[in-house]
Each structure stands twice: as C-alpha cells, then as structure tokens.
C-alpha cells in the first residue's frame, strides 16, 4: 500500500530520525527528515507529504506549536512522539490536532501498524459504499466525496479524525454510540482507556460546528450512554 506515500519525520535526535526512516523505507515509503518544527514547515511548503511523525520536545519550535501551525492549513495525519507517557502531553497533542500518539521507546511493529492505519484513513476517508455522498442535517452539511463540511454555508476545517468521527455519527444519525464504539469504528482498533481521546476530539468538533458548544445543536451527549448527531 505504501510505496507512493511520503512521510515527514520531525525529531531533533538524528538517531531516532534515521531509525524511523529505516522502518518506513522497509515498507516502501519515501522519507523526508526535519530536525525542528521550522524546518518541517519549510519542507511541507515544497513537498507533497501524506503523513507526519512529530516529536514534541524540540528546539526552535516544538511539536505542539508546529502541529498547531500545520492545522491552520492542512489536514495531513500527524503522529506525535514523546519520551514522556503523561496523559497531559497526550491530551495537549490531541487538542492541537494530532491524530495519534506514540511514546518512546516504541515497538517498531506496532509503530508501523499505526502509520499504515493513519495512511489508510487519510487516503480513504469517507468511503461508505452504497450511501449518499452528501448528508445535510439542519444546515450541517457533509460531502463524502470531497470530505468537505460546512455549517449554514460556512466551511469548517476538521482534522482527519474529527472528520471521520463526525461522518460516522452523521451517517448513522440519530443513533447513539458509546465512546468505545466510536473509538473502535474510527480508530479501527480495540478500545482501551479511550475516554480522554474521544472526548478531546468531540470537544474540538463541537467548537468548530456549534454556535454555542456548551449548548450543542448537532453533536449531543446522551448521559451514561454516548454521543449522537441530533436529526
């Protein structure tokens, strides 16, 4: 699946960049390297990149700042790397738009599986065979073919995972889904302590599609059960 894909590896440690490059090249991927966030932004302007692997702690411009900057213009999947395992780092990374999070040191086989999962999701986002390519619910409009989302005609920019969650809930509206069901459907892996991860993405979606996120019109919580899109 991977020979046509380009991955940008951003880490201030040369040994880590080169180790990751070996793993990815063994899967047939093209690899670009950057040693800090500023260099990564320059490379992104000059190259087509399908996925970014981003260290959090870097000089000049760290991974959080760089991810925030990238998300102003692009929805490329971003996997964050960190030597820490604290939930605060993980949540912060997800809040600014990261799609996944890997703690160093990591298992190469699991790491490659996560990379491939993100690439599949990014390249095939929104494919639901036999279903309508456009969904409109009270002014919330999603076009599956182009992956565009708008509210009352105003375009909304979502990350790949935000889009996938919203699409899943809209396609199945007004059915209610638990956090575990959402995680397993969207992340395509078993749910384990997924509550924080899903909640962060739900909050970010609400901030983008709701006039008042605290009193949502579209994405509603059903207490003790899960979430749904109100029809």
């Amino acid at each position: 699946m991977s020979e046509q894909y380009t991955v940008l590896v951003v880490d201030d440690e040369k040994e880590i960049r080169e180790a990751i490059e070996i793993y990815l090249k063994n899967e047939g991927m093209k690899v670009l390297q950057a040693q800090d966030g500023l260099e990564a932004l320059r490379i992104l302007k000059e190259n087509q990149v399908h996925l970014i692997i981003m260290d959090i702690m870097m000089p000049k411009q760290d991974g959080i700042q760089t991810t925030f900057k990238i998300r102003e213009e692009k929805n490329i999947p971003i996997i964050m790397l960190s030597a820490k395992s604290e939930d605060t780092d993980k949540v912060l990374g997800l809040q600014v738009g990261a799609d996944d999070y890997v703690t160093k040191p990591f298992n190469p086989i699991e790491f490659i599986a996560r990379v491939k999962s993100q690439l599949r999701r990014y390249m095939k986002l929104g494919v639901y065979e036999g279903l309508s390519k456009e969904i409109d619910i009270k002014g919330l409009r999603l076009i599956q073919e182009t992956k565009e989302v708008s509210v009352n005609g105003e375009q909304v920019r979502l990350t790949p995972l935000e889009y996938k969650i919203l699409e899943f809930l809209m396609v199945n509206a007004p059915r209610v889904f638990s956090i575990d069901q959402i995680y397993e459907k969207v992340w395509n892996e078993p749910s384990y302590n997924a509550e924080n991860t899903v909640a962060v993405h739900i909050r970010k979606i609400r901030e983008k599609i709701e006039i008042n996120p605290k009193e949502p019109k579209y994405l509603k919580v059903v207490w003790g059960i899960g979430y749904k899109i109100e029809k």
Side-chain angles (χ1 to χ4, degrees), residues 40-174:
L41 294 175
R42 286 196 296 271
I43 290 172
L44 279 175
K45 286 182 180 178
E46 299 166 4
N47 298 272
Q48 182 181 19
V49 173
H50 300 99
L51 181 138
I52 302 166
I53 296 165
M54 180 85 67
D55 188 32
I56 289 183
M57 299 300 292
M58 293 183 293
K60 294 186 181 178
Q61 184 167 289
D62 66 25
I64 300 291
Q65 294 170 307
T66 307
T67 298
F68 188 77
K69 197 73 178 171
I70 291 168
R71 282 289 175 255
E72 290 178 357
E73 298 180 1
K74 300 178 185 292
N75 68 342
I76 303 167
I78 298 173
I79 298 176
M80 293 207 119
L81 295 177
S82 175
K84 301 176 183 178
S85 57
E86 287 93 335
D87 278 347
T88 50
D89 271 349
K90 182 175 182 177
V91 171
L92 187 57
L94 294 171
Q95 281 179 331
V96 297
D99 298 285
D100 202 354
Y101 184 96
V102 176
T103 303
K104 296 185 284 188
F106 49 79
N107 180 303
I109 295 172
E110 180 188 349
F111 177 74
I112 290 298
R114 287 173 179 260
V115 167
K116 288 183 175 181
S117 175
Q118 289 298 330
L119 284 169
R120 277 196 301 271
R121 191 174 296 123
Y122 181 56
M123 302 308 291
K124 297 180 181 179
L125 214 50
V127 177
Y128 285 86
E129 291 184 14
L131 294 171
S132 168
K133 291 185 177 180
E134 292 190 19
I135 308 168
D136 195 314
I137 299 175
K138 297 188 292 189
L140 175 61
R141 186 167 180 249
L142 183 145
I143 305 175
Q144 292 178 300
E145 194 169 20
T146 59
K147 307 174 187 67
E148 292 178 89
V149 175
S150 60
V151 178
N152 298 325
E154 293 288 324
Q155 190 165 356
V156 176
R157 188 180 296 278
L158 300 176
T159 69
L161 276 175
E162 290 166 0
Y163 174 89
K164 191 70 175 175
I165 292 168
L166 182 63
E167 181 189 44
F168 173 60
L169 292 174
M170 288 183 71
V171 164
N172 294 286

Side-chain angles (χ1 to χ4, degrees), residues 186-212:
V186 173
W187 275 259
N188 197 29
E189 60 186 37
S191 175
Y192 178 72
N193 289 337
E195 188 167 348
N196 268 352
T197 301
V198 173
V200 166
H201 284 86
I202 292 287
R203 186 167 70 248
K204 297 299 287 186
I205 294 168
R206 277 179 169 164
E207 288 171 0
K208 295 176 180 181
I209 69 170
E210 303 284 2
I211 295 173
N212 181 0

